[in-house]
Structures are given as structure tokens and as C-alpha cells.
Amino acid sequence: WIVDFTRGAAGVTMRVLARWTAVAALLLLLLGDCAAAKKAADPAQPAPKEKKHSEPVIEEVTAKQLERVLNEKDFVAVFWYARSCLTCDKVLEELEKIDDDTDSFGVDFVKINDKRLAKHYGIKNFPALTYFREKEPIIYEGDLMDEESVLDFLTSLEAMDLPDRIEDVNARILLKIVEDTDYVAVLFYKPQCKKCAKALQELENIDDEADQLGIGFVKISDEELADEYNLGELPKLVYYRHQIPIIYESELTREEDVLEW
């Protein structure tokens, strides 16, 4: 009896296991069908293409285009090159690394292949770089393969210096000048302002004297920056000594008093 009972129980167990195995197989089959149906209903989207970032390129200009740029822009760097010049190609590759930087500093960077015009500006060998400040040219004498030195030159107060003229700068150039120069006088002004024009006219009389004393002198028309400094009504003269600003509170048309201060 015991043997028969054991055999019967074993048979029941086997039948139960067989049923559960069949159920599991059916579930797996159904899940597979659902996944296939979902895949068919929602086909995979193609992977988004990576955006290609355009490399900075120094703009090519003709002689007439260069003339127009010089008439319209205060600060222009001109790269002179010649055809079939391997050194020119190598230098250009380095300079294009700072093209975006010069743009942000307000310096336009162009290149030109015109030997006749180059000779007019005193360029005899290629490659060469000329920096025009309000149409006044200065030839860069440093290493053109050192793009960081070129950038420092193009954004330096020394390169922007013009006789008896206070150079106009933007906010970024001003920040760099203040960081690089121990003593800087900055005239904040606004266009179409008679009082500003009068103050500027008088202060330009002492620009060279200030330069001889080691004091940089620049002007900036940036009312937003003036508001940030709480300068009030313009014009205002701010003197930076080791990056610490001091506002001149007296009359700006008395240039000798300003110089003594």
C-alpha cells in the first residue's frame, strides 16, 4: 500500500510540473510576441547626427574690401601672405586659433594676398602682420607662430597707443588693460554728448604726458558698464591704481589739474 501511494504521489507531482512548465513556456511566447509587436509599431529612430562645429577662419579680403574694413572698423589685424608659401600656411593655421578671441576683443582679423598693396604698407617679406588702429598701421615684429603672443600684442595698450589721442576700447579690452597695467586712466563717456566731447578734447592734451609718467589713458562708451560702477552722469574719469578704481570728482576740462591729480 505504501509503495502504491508513493508511486501515485510521484505521478501527480510529475503532472503538476509538466503543467507549470507548459504555462511558463506559453508566457514566454506571449512576452516575445508583445516585444516584437512593440518594436514593429515603434521602429528605432536613427541616432542624431553630431553637429559639426565650424572652425574659425580668418576672412579673405581684396584691396577694396580691406579699404572698406579700415574705414568701418577701429582695430583691424591684417595677415599678409603669398601663394605657394608653406610658412604662410603654417602661420595662418596658428593664427586662426585666436580668430574668435580677437573678435571678442573688438579686433577684426583678415588676410590678403596682394603684393602691391603690401609694398605700399612697407611689407617686403611674407608672411607678415599689420595692426591698424584707426587706420594707423604698425607692423608686428614678433614670432607669428606664437599665436598667444600675437593676441597679447593685438589687445595691449602699447599696441593701441596713438600720439595725442585717447584710444577707444570695449569692456573686454578695458578689463585686460586694467589687469595688465598698473596705472590706467579711463574716461567714461557717451556719444552725442557735448560735455563729453569737451572733456575729451581737453584730456587729449595731456595724453602724451600721462604716457611719459607710465599712465595708460583710454576711453570707453559703455553706459551699462558705467551704471554697474554707479558713475552717475557722464563723462566721468576713473583712475585705476593696481586695479583699484578712484573716481575723479573735479572739473574734467581743467586738464592740468587732472594731470596733477
Side-chain angles (χ1 to χ4, degrees), residues 1 33 55 86 94 124 140 173 192 208 222:
W1 178 82
D33 290 342
E55 294 294 328
L86 295 178
E94 295 302 315
K124 298 178 181 178
Y140 179 65
I173 291 181
Q192 287 80 48
D208 286 349
D222 190 325

Side-chain angles (χ1 to χ4, degrees), residues 161-199:
D161 188 33
L162 294 170
D164 296 321
R165 197 181 309 175
I166 296 176
E167 289 71 45
D168 212 333
V169 298
N170 60 27
R172 187 167 181 187
I173 291 181
L174 175 60
L175 177 61
K176 184 177 184 298
I177 289 174
V178 170
E179 289 177 347
D180 294 347
T181 311
D182 290 336
Y183 305 104
V184 185
V186 183
L187 177 67
F188 286 81
Y189 74 101
K190 58 184 179 181
Q192 287 80 48
C193 165
K194 292 183 179 180
K195 190 175 180 181
C196 299
K198 179 63 177 175

Side-chain angles (χ1 to χ4, degrees), residues 67-153:
E67 182 181 1
R68 184 171 67 250
V69 171
L70 294 177
N71 285 331
E72 295 175 354
K73 305 293 183 179
D74 291 333
F75 303 106
V76 182
V78 180
F79 176 66
W80 306 90
Y81 73 99
R83 303 290 183 192
S84 303
C85 168
L86 295 178
T87 304
C88 298
D89 294 339
K90 291 179 181 178
V91 169
L92 181 60
E93 185 178 345
E94 295 302 315
L95 294 181
E96 285 183 335
K97 295 177 182 178
I98 62 170
D99 185 36
D100 285 347
D101 294 311
T102 56
D103 283 344
S104 66
F105 278 109
V107 179
D108 281 64
F109 214 142
V110 297
K111 62 184 177 183
I112 186 170
N113 172 33
D114 190 318
K115 292 184 178 180
R116 180 178 297 179
L117 188 61
K119 185 177 180 180
H120 172 75
Y121 285 110
I123 304 299
K124 298 178 181 178
N125 300 311
F126 300 93
L129 180 69
T130 303
Y131 189 26
F132 290 86
R133 300 115 344 122
E134 298 181 20
K135 298 184 182 180
E136 293 289 336
I138 180 174
I139 298 174
Y140 179 65
E141 302 291 351
D143 182 6
L144 288 173
M145 288 293 290
D146 186 349
E147 72 275 11
E148 291 301 327
S149 294
V150 173
L151 181 61
D152 286 340
F153 168 75

Side-chain angles (χ1 to χ4, degrees), residues 4 17 27 31-32 39 53 64 67 82-83 94-95 118 130 135 151 153 163 169 179 197 204 215-216 238 247:
D4 292 340
L17 288 174
L27 287 173
L31 288 173
K39 186 175 182 180
H53 298 284
K64 288 186 177 180
E67 182 181 1
R83 303 290 183 192
E94 295 302 315
L95 294 181
T130 303
K135 298 184 182 180
L151 181 61
F153 168 75
V169 298
E179 289 177 347
E204 284 183 335
I215 302 171
V238 180
I247 300 175

